[in-house]
Amino acid sequence: MAGETALPLQQLIASWDNKCLPKILQVVSGVYFQGSIYELSGSEVSFSTGDLIKVIRIELQSVCCEDISNDDKFELPIGHTGLYKVVPEEMPYSTVEEMVSLRPVGLDSCLPFTFTSSSKMTFENFTLAAGGALRVFSVEKDQVRCHVQGQQEVSAEVCIPLSSRGEFYECESEECFNLQEIMSSASLRSRRFRSTKCERPVFLSPIYQVHAIMTLRKNVLKFSSSSEVDVIDVTEQCKDVAFVTPLSLTEVLSQPDESFPAVVEILEGPETHSLFRCSWLQELSKGRHLVFHKKGTSARILFSSLKSRKAQQYFLVSQQYAGRFRRRPREFNSVYELYVASVQAPGLRVSVTRSCEEVEEEGLPALSVGEQLEIVRCGRMELPCGSREEQRQSVEALLCHRFQEPDDGDDDDDEEEVRQEDEREEISLPLYMQAHFVEVLKDNKKYRLRDLEKEFSFPLDVKVMNRDNEMETDPLVGLTCLRMEGAMSEPIIQASLPHRPEHCFEIPTQWLSMSVSFTKDSLPWPSDQPPECHMDKVTEVTDTFFYEYRKQGNSDAAPPPRPPKRNLSSSEAQRKSIKPPKKSSKDEKSKHRPDGSVPTKEFANLTLSSKKRHPAPSPPDILDDQPPPLAPRKQSAAEVTIGKALPNMYVKREDSKAKVAADVDSDHDYETVDEDLFTMIKESQENVKFY
C-alpha cells in the first residue's frame, strides 16, 4: 500500500455520505499507539497502527467551524440558525464546466449566480468586453444559459458551452445558506463561507458519529470523526477481508427469509439474571453456535401454579400443546375479586367457604358456609351508619341472589333448581368486604388448550388430566392446579443446537437480549434431507417474567375500593349509650363456678399463712389404665379474662375428705381451709410436672 496518501480521519470522512458506504480504512498513525484506550461518547475505542476499520454508517452530530484567519476551531450545533454566504475563490477557473461543478446541486438557492471573464468574449451577434458580468440562470446538458449586460445598457440572453476555456472568476453572491443546506451538499462543504454577521472567512466541515466494525472486535464501534487518527482508504485492496457483523435478535428478525436456515455464532450471551428457566438457556453462551431455522410469530399461554409450600412455578405453553385440561373452581378472598371475575364471566356462581358475621354499621351481611351466591350486577348501596338521612354513605356493592345449600336428597336437578329459584334472596355485598368463596362448576368436560382460550376468559383455573404424549417429559402433569393468566403472541426465532438440529426451541426476541453473527458454516444435515423438527411446547419462566407481564397488562387497573370512613360522632354516642352491666351480690358471693373451678388469680393467692381461702379444686376422675391428658400449665389471656381456670391434670389423688365451713360471723366472704387441705396442696405442688 505504498504510495497511498494518509489523511486525517476528519478530512476524509467529511467528504463522504451514507450512499458511498461501506468503506474500509487502515490506521497509519495518530495519538492511538498500540494498546491505547480512548473513551468517546461512552464507547471504548482502541486503535493500533495497521488496524482495519470498516465504516458502515455515519450520523451527523455537529459542525466544525474553522476560522481561516487565526486557525481557531469550535463546534456549532446542527440546529444553528445562522446564515452564511459563499466566499468567491481567488484563483480563476479554467473552464465554465469547472466553475459550475462547484455549485451546489439540488438547492433552489444555487441559481442564479454571476461570474466574469478576464478576456473578451464574442457570441453570435454580441460581444462581451473583458470584466463583463454573466448571470447564469439555468444549467443545461452541455451549456449554460446566461443573461449578459453589455455596453449602453444593452442586454441579451446567450448560451455558453461548458467546454469554453478562459479565465473565469466567480462574483460574490447575495444567496445565503444555513448549516443543514451546506452539510447536505458535497460541493458546498468544500467552499469557504462568511457569516452574515461577521466578515472573517470560515471553513465548515461536518463532525460525524462513525459506526464501524473492526476485524478483531465483534461489536459495533461508535466514535467521532474528529478523532486524531491518520488513515488511508483501502476499500479496493481489502474487498475480500471478512468483517463480522453483529446483529441483535431484533435485527435478525429484519433479515430476509432467504437468510434462513443458517448457522450463527453467539457474540454476547443473555444476561445472567434471565427471565427464563429452561435447559437450552445454558447453551446460549459466548462463542457457541446455533442453528436458526426460521423466524415467525408464536401464540402462547402464560400459566402459574397454585401457591403452596413449594415455590410457585410459571410456564409459557404453546397452543400446539396436545394435553387435555379440566376446569377447576376458582377461589376468591374478597367481594372485589368476585366483581372482577363476574365482569369477565357473567352469571358467575359461588359458594361461601367461611362464615361471616353481620356488621350492620358497615353494611356487611351475614354469610354462612354452604350458601350459594349468583352474581347479578354491580350497583350501589346505602350504609346505615348515620342517624340522619344526609349522613348516610353510598358505596359500590355487588348485587347477588343468595340460595341455601342444596340438600343431598334424591331430588331431580330440575326440581332442585325450581326450589332454589323460589327460595332465592337478594343481598348486596360491598366491594370492600373480605370474604371467602369458591366457584361452583357443573362442567366436567375435558378441553384442549385452544378450546379453553376460545370459550372462556382469563384467569381460568384448570388441571391437566391427560399429558402430551409427544413430549418426553410434561412438567404440567402432577400439578394440582394451574391458572391460565393470559395469552400472548410474540415474534420468535426457531432455533436448535448443532448436535441436535431436530430438537427445536423458540427464542422470544422481546424478552431475550443477545448478539449474534451469521457464519458461512454449513448446516448440520444433508442439503436434501432437512430434519423433522420437534418443538419444546412448554417453557418455564421465572417470577420476574410473570411480574413484568402483569405490569404491562395491568398498568391502568384500578385498586380495590376502601371501606368507608366511620362516623366517629355517632359511634362515640352509641358507645356511651351502652352501659356495662352491674354485678349482682349473688355473683360476688358465689363460692364455686359451674365447672367446680376457681379463678387462677385467687388460686395463686393461696398460701400457708392465709387463714381464710377458697377450697382447692377437685380434679376429675382419671382411669388407672389411661395416661392423664396433657394440658398447658398457663392458661391463655382469654381464660384469665373470662375466669375459667383449668384444674390440675397432672396429679392423681384420692378424693379429699377436707370439709370447708363458711364463716358466717365474718364480715368478709372468706372460707376456712383445714390442715389436711394444705397438706394435699403441698404434695400436689411437689409432684406436678412442668412442661
Side-chain angles (χ1 to χ4, degrees):
M1 300 179 187
E4 294 285 348
T5 302
L7 296 174
L9 180 66
Q10 170 67 15
Q11 180 180 345
L12 183 60
I13 294 185
S15 61
W16 292 352
D17 55 25
N18 280 299
K19 296 179 181 179
C20 68
L21 300 179
K23 291 278 191 179
I24 301 177
L25 304 178
Q26 186 176 35
V27 178
V28 176
S29 62
V31 298
Y32 303 95
F33 54 91
Q34 185 169 359
S36 68
I37 301 295
Y38 199 80
E39 185 77 18
L40 287 172
S41 302
S43 300
E44 182 185 276
V45 181
S46 174
F47 293 140
S48 302
T49 301
D51 282 348
L52 293 179
I53 305 172
K54 184 176 182 179
V55 180
I56 58 177
R57 186 157 57 100
I58 55 177
E59 294 179 355
L60 183 61
Q61 278 188 323
S62 58
V63 177
C64 177
C65 184
E66 180 182 359
D67 193 333
I68 300 176
S69 60
N70 53 17
D71 293 335
D72 284 346
K73 292 182 180 180
F74 53 92
E75 288 190 24
L76 295 175
I78 195 61
H80 180 62
T81 58
L83 297 177
Y84 296 86
K85 292 183 178 182
V86 177
V87 176
E89 295 291 341
E90 297 178 356
M91 297 295 294
Y93 298 100
S94 59
T95 64
V96 174
E97 183 178 10
E98 180 185 1
M99 180 176 54
V100 171
S101 64
L102 294 179
R103 302 299 300 174
V105 179
L107 294 178
D108 296 337
S109 59
C110 68
L111 295 174
F113 71 93
T114 306
F115 69 95
T116 61
S117 175
S118 60
S119 59
K120 182 176 66 173
M121 298 184 66
T122 303
F123 305 102
E124 296 177 356
N125 54 358
F126 188 83
T127 300
L128 180 66
L134 295 95
R135 188 172 181 81
V136 180
F137 58 86
S138 69
V139 179
E140 299 177 358
K141 184 177 180 180
D142 55 355
Q143 63 184 6
V144 293
R145 190 174 297 274
C146 307
H147 181 271
V148 296
Q149 189 75 27
Q151 296 178 355
Q152 298 178 356
E153 298 182 356
V154 177
S155 62
E157 182 178 308
V158 296
C159 291
I160 303 177
L162 292 175
S163 57
S164 300
R165 305 188 65 85
E167 289 186 3
F168 304 105
Y169 292 88
E170 185 180 8
C171 299
E172 184 174 358
S173 175
E174 294 299 322
E175 56 187 333
C176 298
F177 304 94
N178 58 32
L179 290 183
Q180 288 281 5
E181 293 173 334
I182 297 173
M183 294 300 106
S184 62
S185 173
S187 59
L188 284 180
R189 289 199 299 265
S190 62
R191 304 299 301 272
R192 294 178 300 162
F193 294 87
R194 66 176 180 85
S195 172
T196 55
K197 299 180 180 180
C198 181
E199 294 296 328
R200 289 183 297 184
V202 295
F203 185 75
L204 302 175
S205 59
I207 297 178
Y208 293 105
Q209 184 183 54
V210 183
H211 298 244
I213 303 172
M214 295 184 66
T215 54
L216 300 180
R217 300 187 64 159
K218 294 184 178 181
N219 58 325
V220 176
L221 303 179
K222 297 180 182 180
F223 56 92
S224 175
S225 61
S226 60
S227 304
E228 298 177 3
V229 179
D230 291 340
V231 295
I232 56 176
D233 189 346
V234 293
T235 304
E236 295 298 325
Q237 298 89 326
C238 299
K239 286 183 176 180
D240 298 331
V241 176
F243 285 85
V244 176
T245 304
L247 298 173
S248 65
L249 294 182
T250 304
E251 293 172 332
V252 171
L253 290 176
S254 63
Q255 300 299 311
D257 295 336
E258 295 76 19
S259 303
F260 303 92
V263 179
V264 301
E265 180 184 355
I266 301 176
L267 304 181
E268 295 294 337
E271 298 178 357
T272 54
H273 303 288
S274 176
L275 303 175
F276 298 86
R277 186 181 289 119
C278 44
S279 58
W280 51 262
L281 185 63
Q282 302 175 357
E283 304 291 339
L284 305 184
S285 57
K286 184 177 181 180
R288 299 293 298 271
H289 286 73
L290 292 175
V291 179
F292 279 0
H293 294 264
K294 61 180 180 180
K295 59 180 182 177
T297 303
S298 177
R300 296 193 264 182
I301 308 295
L302 179 60
F303 282 79
S304 64
S305 65
L306 185 67
K307 292 182 180 180
S308 61
R309 294 182 179 179
K310 297 181 180 179
Q312 196 170 8
Q313 294 178 281
Y314 307 93
F315 304 92
L316 281 178
V317 183
S318 172
Q319 284 190 345
Q320 306 300 324
Y321 180 79
R324 297 294 186 95
F325 298 87
R326 181 173 290 165
R327 293 182 61 197
R328 283 190 57 114
R330 289 172 290 174
E331 295 182 0
F332 308 98
N333 296 320
S334 68
V335 177
Y336 180 76
E337 294 181 13
L338 276 185
Y339 162 69
V340 175
S342 64
V343 172
Q344 300 172 347
L348 178 66
R349 193 160 182 168
V350 296
S351 178
V352 180
T353 59
R354 190 179 300 179
S355 298
C356 299
E357 294 183 359
E358 180 181 7
V359 183
E360 183 178 359
E361 182 182 358
E362 298 182 2
L364 306 181
L367 297 176
S368 301
V369 174
E371 291 181 341
Q372 291 192 7
L373 303 176
E374 182 179 352
I375 313 303
V376 179
R377 65 178 183 275
C378 183
R380 301 192 71 84
M381 63 177 293
E382 288 189 354
L383 301 182
C385 55
S387 58
R388 294 180 298 177
E389 187 71 23
E390 60 272 9
Q391 292 179 344
R392 296 188 178 181
Q393 300 185 46
S394 176
V395 296
E396 288 185 307
L398 208 57
L399 179 63
C400 307
H401 288 160
R402 174 161 59 182
F403 306 92
Q404 296 299 322
E405 183 179 8
D407 297 333
D408 296 334
D410 298 332
D411 296 340
D412 295 337
D413 293 340
D414 295 339
E415 295 179 0
E416 179 66 27
E417 291 181 2
V418 172
R419 187 179 64 83
Q420 289 193 2
E421 207 53 42
D422 295 337
E423 296 180 358
R424 71 180 183 180
E425 172 192 0
E426 287 191 357
I427 63 170
S428 295
L429 306 178
L431 292 189
Y432 56 80
M433 180 178 178
Q434 299 296 315
H436 299 271
F437 311 93
V438 65
E439 188 176 9
V440 177
L441 296 178
K442 296 182 180 179
D443 181 12
N444 203 28
K445 179 182 175 182
K446 293 181 181 179
Y447 294 88
R448 293 184 181 274
L449 187 58
R450 289 185 174 180
D451 298 333
L452 284 173
E453 184 181 4
K454 292 179 181 178
E455 297 184 24
F456 304 99
S457 57
F458 300 130
L460 186 68
D461 289 357
V462 295
K463 177 179 173 60
V464 177
M465 305 306 297
N466 300 105
R467 67 184 301 271
D468 188 343
N469 296 324
E470 298 178 0
M471 299 176 59
E472 296 180 3
T473 57
D474 191 343
L476 303 183
V477 174
L479 297 175
T480 56
C481 183
L482 290 168
R483 172 159 292 187
M484 300 173 64
E485 301 286 353
M488 60 180 68
S489 180
E490 296 182 329
I492 54 94
I493 298 174
Q494 182 178 322
S496 67
L497 300 174
H499 64 279
R500 295 184 63 188
E502 72 284 351
H503 185 77
C504 297
F505 49 88
E506 296 178 347
I507 300 178
T509 58
Q510 294 184 356
W511 297 92
L512 205 62
S513 177
M514 55 187 295
S515 176
V516 300
S517 66
F518 282 82
T519 68
K520 296 183 180 180
D521 297 351
S522 58
L523 296 170
W525 60 75
S527 58
D528 57 343
Q529 298 179 4
E532 182 180 355
C533 295
H534 302 280
M535 294 297 303
D536 269 354
K537 301 178 184 179
V538 180
T539 303
E540 186 174 359
V541 297
T542 62
D543 53 354
T544 305
F545 180 96
F546 176 73
Y547 297 142
E548 289 295 328
Y549 171 80
R550 294 290 296 270
K551 187 189 301 181
Q552 294 178 2
N554 297 334
S555 58
D556 298 331
R562 292 183 177 181
K565 295 182 179 180
R566 295 186 177 182
N567 193 332
L568 298 179
S569 59
S570 60
S571 301
E572 184 69 17
Q574 185 178 4
R575 185 183 63 83
K576 291 181 178 180
S577 63
I578 301 176
K579 297 181 180 180
K582 296 182 179 180
K583 295 184 179 180
S584 63
S585 58
K586 183 178 180 181
D587 293 336
E588 294 176 354
K589 296 183 179 181
S590 60
K591 298 179 180 180
H592 301 284
R593 296 190 176 186
D595 57 355
S597 63
V598 296
T600 305
K601 185 176 181 180
E602 297 180 12
F603 185 77
N605 289 335
L606 289 177
T607 59
L608 295 179
S609 60
S610 302
K611 296 183 179 180
K612 298 179 181 180
R613 301 292 180 185
H614 284 286
S618 300
D621 295 334
I622 302 176
L623 300 178
D624 296 337
D625 57 347
Q626 296 181 357
L630 295 179
R633 179 172 180 267
K634 296 181 178 180
Q635 68 270 26
S636 64
E639 293 172 342
V640 174
T641 304
I642 299 174
K644 294 183 179 180
L646 295 176
N648 192 334
M649 298 297 183
Y650 300 100
V651 181
K652 181 180 179 183
R653 61 182 179 80
E654 298 294 335
D655 293 341
S656 176
K657 296 182 180 180
K659 297 180 180 180
V660 182
D663 189 359
V664 181
D665 299 333
S666 175
D667 295 335
H668 304 282
D669 190 14
Y670 290 151
E671 297 174 350
T672 59
V673 183
D674 59 5
E675 295 181 356
D676 294 339
L677 177 58
F678 289 113
T679 304
M680 179 270 296
I681 293 174
K682 184 176 181 180
E683 291 176 355
S684 300
Q685 293 176 346
E686 291 175 352
N687 296 331
V688 70
K689 296 180 180 180
F690 299 97
Y691 290 88

